Amino acid sequence: GYTSAPSCAPSRASVLTGRNFWQNEEGAFIQAWIPEKFPVFPDILKKAGYHVGRTGKGWGPGVYPEGAHGPGCAGAIYNDIMVKDPQEKMNPLDYPANFEKFLEDRAEGQPFYFWVGTTEPHGPYAPDNHQKLEQKYGVTLDDIAVPGFLPDTPGIRRDRANFLYEVCYADDQLGRIIQILEDRGELENTLLIATGDNGTATARAKATPYDWGVHEPLAIMWPARVKGGRVVEDFVNFPDLAPTMLEAAGAPVPDSMSGRSIVDILLSGKEGQVDPTRDFIVTGVEWHGELPPFNRASRMVRDNRYEYVVYYGNMPVRALNPDLKSPDAEFEKNAEKLSLSVLLSKHPDHPKVKPFADLLTTPPAPEELYDLEKDPWQMKNVIDDPAYAEIRDRLKAQLKAYQLKTGDPRATGDLEAFTRARAFVEGRKARGYKD
């Protein structure tokens, strides 16, 4: 499962419209809007007789000018019921209770669609989440896996554990919702799709085209019709989800949707690679809050082993603060508590930090190529290695062909909509996101 863009608003716009993020004009940008001319699947389901709603985060953050989809574009909003004892830094919404209220409001026998937009996991995280993770779920700091592109220190493990507690909390909400469906006798004939909108908020992840930014968890269940217990290796992109849901509901799929339904894969009963044409994925990003001279616009194409990345601008990287630099004799003490940014500044030359400091503070090359079999953490760019020249050229051509087929402005050169949207969101950020 891959998001079209590793940024929440364009990612969710892609789900709603069934289009690659770059096909959504202003919808390709966080803090802009989704043009109303692109139909969204909840509206189509509603016209087909479905009871449609959502709780938590739908599409956003952004604005709703004339000619744009409104706040209810993911469904009628059910955000009234709160938990009695909200946890620090976490959403006070009672997602399952709001789902029950939604079900109570539907007509007897009416089919339904519901979007559960948990804002967990999303920072900032409560500093004692790691303690609750151990107390409630039995997961200690020693159990925490640290991505290979980050230093493995107690402080970074603690940050990861604080994040993981919110993952577990979100999973609990899903469990409660599944139980509600089961108790009502609705589970068997309900299609459930569980995923995330973008990668984890750390270096080389969220808002980047690397796998930790765009590769999402994706689990799908439809007990009455889909054989479970299978792992399917076909690449699935977020634009595919809208036509999948519409086909499952027997509703029309508009021509505007460029995604392809995966109902045939779900019903096939097969494992592994089911559809041989789903052997690659294309994603990217246009903007995620950077201001000039930085521009993180990029695209990525990936197959089962190799990933090719192209940057169109000057990607922002982490900057070290030389005023924080400390003697390496203090490393062990600092590593116990410091988060990534401060650790990099305090000990950039320490052997346990230097490889990561070099990686995270060096701007990416205009083009990058990674052999994910040999380098799963994407730390060694082999774009200039002659041994990979044929692979580079193949992926580069594959990316360009897909971009042209889907009208990506970065390939066609028609950047007017992107230029206009970027000026809007940059100006909005400069005003502190005040309308």
Side-chain angles (χ1 to χ4, degrees), residues 55-112:
T55 188
K57 184 175 180 178
W59 173 84
V63 294
Y64 309 100
E66 185 178 350
H69 284 286
C73 60
I77 301 170
Y78 283 77
N79 283 343
D80 292 334
I81 305 175
M82 304 293 171
V83 297
K84 294 179 180 178
D85 52 348
Q87 299 187 49
E88 183 183 1
K89 306 289 187 183
M90 293 170 73
N91 198 325
L93 279 175
D94 190 329
Y95 307 107
N98 282 291
F99 175 53
E100 284 198 287
K101 178 64 169 67
F102 161 82
L103 290 177
E104 291 166 3
D105 287 348
R106 70 172 173 147
E108 184 176 356
Q110 184 181 17
F112 63 88

